[in-house]
Amino acid sequence: MSEPSDPSDQFDDIVDNETSRDPDLAVIEAGSRTLRAQAGPVQGDPVPGRPEDPELDKALREVETELSTRWGETKLEPSVTRIAALMDVLGEPQRAYPSIHITGTNGKTSTARMIEALLGAFDLRTGRYTSPHVQTITERISLDGAPISAERFVETYQDVKPYVELVDAREEYRLSFFEVLTGMAYAAFADAPVDVAVVEVGMGGTWDATNVIDASVAVVTPIDLDHTDRLGGTTAEIAGEKSGIIKQDATVILAQQPVDAAQVLLKKAVEADATVAREGMEFGIVSREVAVGGQLLTLRGLGGEYDGVFLPLHGAYQAHNAAVALAAVEAFFGIGADHARTLDTDTVRRAFAQVASPGRLEIVRSSPTVILDAAHNPHGARATAEGVSESFGFSRLVGVVSTSADKDARGLLEAFEPIFAEVVITTNSNPRATDVDALAAIAVEVFGEDRVVVEPRLPDALEAAITLAEEEAEYGGAGVLVTGSIFTVGDARLLLRRS
C-alpha cells in the first residue's frame, strides 16, 4: 500500500490542474448519506409563492405594477447618481452594516447563498440582495436566509416611496426598477437590523446601483463574455467594469479568471491597496468526489483545510463557488490576515450541507427526471453540461430551451449539443424572450432538423420533452433539462410544481 500523500503536495497538484477543472471523481454513497442526515430535515421550498391572502396579493401586485412603469433592468444610464441621491435622502442606510459585495459573470447568486449560509451558521444576522428572481420578486431581498414576506416587501416599498418620488423630481431620469429595489434592500437591512449584508451586483460593478456600499470584502466570480454591448467585448474590458466594486483597503476574493481579466483585477487591487486571495493559489479545492445528492469536498481556505464538507449541489462549478464563498467568509472574519486559524469545521460542514440554490441543476421531478438550470450564456451552459454529464447517468437527455433575445443563443446551444439527444425549442413569459422561430432556426443549424422540436408554449414544450424522454427503453435512464434563461426556469418551476 502506498503512503498517503502530504496534504500540501495534494493541494499543489490541485493548483497545477485548476485550469482544466477535471479532478478524478469517485462515487461515494454512504458518506454523503451520513452527511446529509447530519444536516437535519430538508427545508421547505426556498422560493416563495404568491401570498394566499387575496388582499396582500393585491397589494403586492400593485407594487409590482408601479415598479414595472420604471426602466427595466436592461435599460441603463450608467451612473450611481440617482441611487446615491436616494441613499442620501434615506439617511445612508447602506452605512449601517458591513457588507460583502459580489460581482462576476456566472455563479454570483449561488455564491451569495453559500456566503449567507456560512455567516448565519456563525450566528450573524444576514441580509442578502440578489437578482433576478426565479419566481417571485420578494426573493431578491432576504433576511436570515429567507426571502422577506410579501407584507414586509409592500411595507418597505411604501416606506421608501416618498423618497423615491423626491429623487425622481430632482433628477434628469427617474430611478429605475433595479435602483428602487436596491434602495428597498438597503433600507430593509438597516431596519432589521442585519449584522452583515451580502450584495450581488445587477450588472458590471463600477456604475451598478449596488455600488454605493464600501464592502470590506469584494468577491469576483468567474468572468466571461456577457452583456458585451454594455460591459465591453473582451473579458479584460468586462473585468475593468466589474473591478469597480474593489474599495480602498478591502480584501478581494478572486475565483479563477481568464488571464487578461485577472491582470485588470489585480491592477485595480494594487491601486486600492487591497489584499488579494486567488483561487488555486491562496485557497481552492483539495479534493472533490461525486456523492449521492451532491458532492463531498475538502476545501483549502485562507486559514487551513476543511475536510468532509458535503455540498448538496451538483457540478464542479458549485464546488468552486463553495471555495470562493468560504474564503470570502474567512476574509470577513479576518482569517488569513489578522488571524492564522480556521473557522470551526463542524459549523462550516453544517452550513454547506443546508445550502440550496433554486434553478441551478435543481431536480423538480422524477420518472423521468426533470432538471432546471438557469444557464443563459455559453460559459454557464458549458458548466451546466459538464455538471449534468458528471452527476447524472442519463442514457438520453432532452433539452427544453428558451433564451433571452440579447444573449448568445448559438453559443449556448452549441454547448448543449453534445449532451442533448433532442431539443425542444419554446418561449418563456418574458417580453425579451427570443422569437421561437428565430431560435428554432439556430437550433436546426446546430442540431440538425431531426433533433429539433418546436413548441411555442412552454407547457406544451415540457409535455413534449417528457414524452420524448419516456420513449427511452430504459425508463429510468432518461431525463429532461430545462434551461436557457432564469425566466424559462421560473416559468417551468411554477408549472411543474403545480402538477
Side-chain angles (χ1 to χ4, degrees), residues 194-437:
V194 302
D195 297 315
V196 56
V198 183
V199 179
E200 173 191 335
V201 304
M203 186 187 300
T206 301
W207 41 258
D208 186 75
T210 62
N211 201 29
V212 288
I213 53 175
D214 291 318
S216 60
V217 178
V219 177
V220 187
T221 65
I223 290 174
D224 208 275
L225 299 180
D226 199 12
H227 299 296
T228 53
D229 56 330
R230 295 177 177 86
L231 303 180
T234 67
T235 49
E237 291 174 340
I238 293 171
E241 289 294 338
K242 293 182 182 294
S243 70
I245 73 164
I246 299 174
K247 303 299 170 58
Q248 193 71 24
D249 300 321
T251 299
V252 184
I253 306 299
L254 293 183
Q256 283 190 326
Q257 304 293 343
V259 173
D260 61 345
Q263 290 173 339
V264 171
L265 293 166
L266 290 171
K267 182 176 183 291
K268 173 66 175 181
V270 169
E271 293 171 353
D273 290 324
T275 301
V276 177
R278 300 155 293 177
E279 184 186 5
M281 300 298 287
E282 287 77 22
F283 70 93
I285 303 169
V286 174
S287 66
R288 187 178 76 88
E289 298 173 325
V290 174
V292 174
Q295 48 197 308
L296 189 67
L297 311 174
T298 297
L299 301 175
R300 175 70 171 266
L302 303 179
E305 286 193 6
Y306 302 79
D307 62 0
V309 176
F310 177 68
L311 182 67
L313 302 175
H314 301 285
Y317 69 96
Q318 293 288 21
H320 289 275
N321 290 340
V324 169
L326 177 60
V329 173
E330 285 183 310
F332 181 79
F333 285 122
I335 293 175
D338 300 331
H339 306 289
R341 59 179 173 83
T342 62
L343 298 171
D344 180 72
T345 302
D346 287 339
T347 304
V348 169
R349 289 173 183 151
R350 185 171 66 253
F352 275 122
Q354 297 183 50
V355 168
S357 193
R360 278 75 180 177
L361 286 180
E362 179 188 17
I363 301 171
V364 292
R365 173 178 166 157
S366 58
S367 299
T369 300
V370 178
I371 303 169
L372 307 180
D373 192 87
H376 58 276
N377 54 45
H379 181 263
R382 289 191 293 270
T384 296
E386 291 171 6
V388 170
S389 298
E390 174 188 272
S391 301
F392 303 93
F394 294 127
S395 56
R396 182 182 188 182
L397 181 64
V398 181
V400 176
V401 177
S402 173
T403 62
S404 294
D406 58 341
K407 300 298 181 181
D408 181 1
R410 180 180 297 276
L412 181 138
L413 290 170
E414 287 174 346
F416 284 123
E417 189 277 331
I419 68 167
F420 285 166
E422 296 94 6
V423 61
V424 182
I425 299 300
T426 188
T427 191
N428 59 55
S429 61
N430 189 270
R432 294 189 295 110
T434 307
D435 176 78
V436 69
D437 292 329

Side-chain angles (χ1 to χ4, degrees), residues 37-87:
Q38 292 174 355
V42 176
Q43 302 298 311
D45 188 352
V47 177
R50 299 294 309 185
E52 294 184 4
D53 180 352
E55 289 301 314
L56 180 56
D57 186 57
K58 178 183 177 183
L60 180 59
R61 291 187 186 279
E62 288 174 353
V63 172
E64 291 171 319
T65 299
E66 288 188 27
L67 288 170
S68 70
T69 65
R70 297 179 176 275
W71 280 358
E73 289 171 283
T74 60
K75 186 172 183 180
L76 304 165
E77 192 278 316
S79 77
V80 294
T81 301
R82 291 172 304 283
I83 188 66
L86 180 60
M87 292 298 98

